Amino acid sequence: MPVNNRIADFHAEMTAWRRDFHEHPELAFEEVRTSKIVADKLREFGCDEVVTGMAKTGVVGVIRGNNAASGRAIGLRADMDALPILEDTGVLYASKTPGKMHACGHDGHTTMLLGAAKYLAETRNFDGTVYVIFQPAEENFGGGEVMVKEGLFERFPMERVFGLHNWPSVPAGTFLWREGPVMAAVANLEVTITGKGAHGAMPNNGNDPIVIAAAMVQALQSIVARNVEPVEGGVITIGHINGGHTYNVIPETVTMLGTARWFAPEVGDLLEKRFLETVNGIAAAFGAMVEAKFVRLYPATINEVASVHLAADAARAVQGDARVQPLAKPTMGGEDFSFMLNAKDGAYLMLGGGRSATDANVHHPKYDFNDDILPVGASWWASLAERLLPRQG
């Protein structure tokens, strides 16, 4: 099943959907317009059931094959939310909401799954049931976890669940797959240091939280370098420091925000332990107060071995062997599809969207989803359904 001819026929229609979503981005759990359009289209396509309201704005479409006697079912998942980023692409379909942007391609993911749903509801060339899952709040708010906790897999029993993410650093149309860990576990780091404010010319009268923060930033870099086994993956990054307002005043407080990433659970436990020990120890050494939090967001995204090979085979059916490649190493990015893979066998693939080496990556103000890959992704979803749920007789 190469790029599906029927899906290719409505490529222009899919492009229009995607650009409309792009013009009207909505942040986590605010995807009211997006989810209404998704639900309306699923009904228009003739889905057997359309369930709304899971995780506030989530949508699940139910498509039964021409023969459902097998009782088998699979799930296909796309995310819908945008990011709080001011767009700087200059495209005609740029965001109409300043400060909000589809900078990760979720508008494209939603569109590809809608395209697959349109085709599957029209042809129903499979035995069993396909659940198309449109998830809210992937970016930092764990909409996938909420859907699982609200009974996604109990209400919609399925054997496996599959996800897909566009990847602009890889040539358009190339699928990447990997057994085991594919994306990292994620935690947010929060630190508030309280010292004693003073005149900048009289530091002896204060306890400078900026100096303390500097010592912490330096020391935190040694956690991965000198505590984590070198063959394991780990990251601690401080991405925000805020303290003081002018040239000659030592502030009372400094706040820091950061991120931690890892794959093995024991590495996550080590990072948390050493992070808290480090910031508390340095604060005590300087005679300052500190509040520190290590807030775990997402576990690692880990592909189940059999599922990822089924997913890669479906990709080969669409693009051929040469354009389906193993992902050499996992990425330290995070993904809340991990909660679904913790609860159900499944796999998560990357689909290249790159036009050139200068393309902006995801989460960048100049990122621009490549509409050329819409029928490729939609055909992969369709291929999964028809190959994993083959018609009997």
Side-chain angles (χ1 to χ4, degrees), residues 1 4 29 48 69 75 91 119 124 133 139 204 225 239 242 249 278 344 371 381:
M1 180 182 170
N4 187 285
F29 294 123
D48 297 286
V91 296
Y119 167 81
R124 300 180 185 263
I133 304 162
E139 300 287 358
N204 54 298
N242 184 41
V249 177
T278 298
K344 186 68 58 176
D371 290 318
W381 292 124

Side-chain angles (χ1 to χ4, degrees), residues 18 93 105 107-108 112 166 355 367-371 373-374:
R18 205 283 299 178
Y93 48 85
D107 49 345
M112 290 188 286
N166 81 97
R355 303 176 183 89
Y367 165 81
D368 183 29
F369 183 90
N370 186 352
D371 290 318
I373 67 172
L374 291 173

